[in-house]
Amino acid sequence: ILSRLDYQHKRGVIMRQFLKSLIGIAVISSFLVAGDVEEIKKRIMDSNEYSNKNNHSVNEYSKNGALEFWSSGGLIQEIDPDGRPEEYDYFNLKVKHIEVIVLVPKKAAVAMYYSEGSMKPKNSPAVNHYMTRVTQAYVKEDGQWKVRASHWSPIQGGSGTSQTSIE
């Protein structure tokens, strides 16, 4: 009888240790993912704020470049690591409802959000009711989150850009 009680006690101790370990892993994982989520959200907000103030975009592309579908439609665009040399006569966009899904903590994530407002790219028609859904794949390179792929699609009632190619 004593050996059966010892066995049950040891089993209970092992189960409690196992559960504590699982909870510890879950807490650490949540902390790691939460940090990634906040970093990417901040990057998106800061990049948008920079473009609003300076009328040109920030180069936040991967050292491997990126692939993009633009809100104007058309074919897939291959973006060099140097980014798109975008300049605007005016740029007044807001990003909203940013959601981030961490795929691999500290390595890869996807962000989804809305972008709306108005803009006028240099040498292109103005877009007075820009309203798009955005999906971007991010990778972490040298401690910074970089864009590896993007897809902008207009929301019904809004419009995308007028651009159809980099050239």
Side-chain angles (χ1 to χ4, degrees):
I1 293 178
L2 191 54
S3 64
R4 182 166 170 83
L5 289 175
D6 284 343
Y7 169 77
Q8 287 177 342
H9 175 73
K10 286 180 183 178
R11 183 172 170 222
V13 169
I14 290 170
M15 288 303 290
R16 282 191 295 279
Q17 288 174 339
F18 177 73
L19 287 173
K20 285 180 186 178
S21 296
L22 278 180
I23 291 169
I25 290 169
V27 167
I28 290 169
S29 295
S30 295
F31 178 74
L32 290 173
V33 168
D36 290 346
V37 168
E38 294 310 314
E39 286 177 13
I40 292 170
K41 284 182 176 183
K42 182 173 179 1
R43 176 126 186 137
I44 292 166
M45 298 296 288
D46 289 350
S47 293
N48 188 72
E49 183 179 337
Y50 179 89
S51 295
N52 280 330
K53 286 182 182 175
N54 297 290
N55 290 329
H56 64 87
S57 57
V58 176
N59 180 5
E60 57 187 3
Y61 289 96
S62 164
K63 62 186 173 194
N64 298 310
L67 296 177
E68 296 187 333
F69 283 117
W70 293 350
S71 60
S72 55
L75 303 175
I76 196 166
Q77 300 291 325
E78 194 169 329
I79 309 301
D80 290 331
D82 294 333
R84 294 191 275 164
E86 295 179 321
E87 291 189 9
Y88 302 89
D89 291 329
Y90 62 86
F91 187 95
N92 184 23
L93 296 182
K94 292 185 178 166
V95 294
K96 304 175 166 181
H97 309 295
I98 303 169
E99 296 291 335
V100 177
I101 299 168
V102 176
L103 302 174
V104 180
K106 303 295 181 211
K107 291 187 180 184
V110 173
M112 301 172 81
Y113 57 95
Y114 300 98
S115 181
E116 68 176 312
S118 61
M119 69 167 96
K120 184 183 179 314
K122 289 210 184 272
N123 304 316
S124 294
V127 182
N128 294 317
H129 191 59
Y130 183 81
M131 255 177 41
T132 63
R133 296 173 291 244
V134 182
T135 302
Q136 292 183 301
Y138 283 85
V139 294
K140 199 148 198 189
E141 297 175 354
D142 301 321
Q144 297 287 320
W145 287 103
K146 300 290 186 169
V147 174
R148 190 70 175 98
S150 300
H151 187 140
W152 286 270
S153 59
I155 297 172
Q156 188 170 352
S159 58
T161 64
S162 53
Q163 300 155 308
T164 56
S165 71
I166 292 175
E167 298 158 14

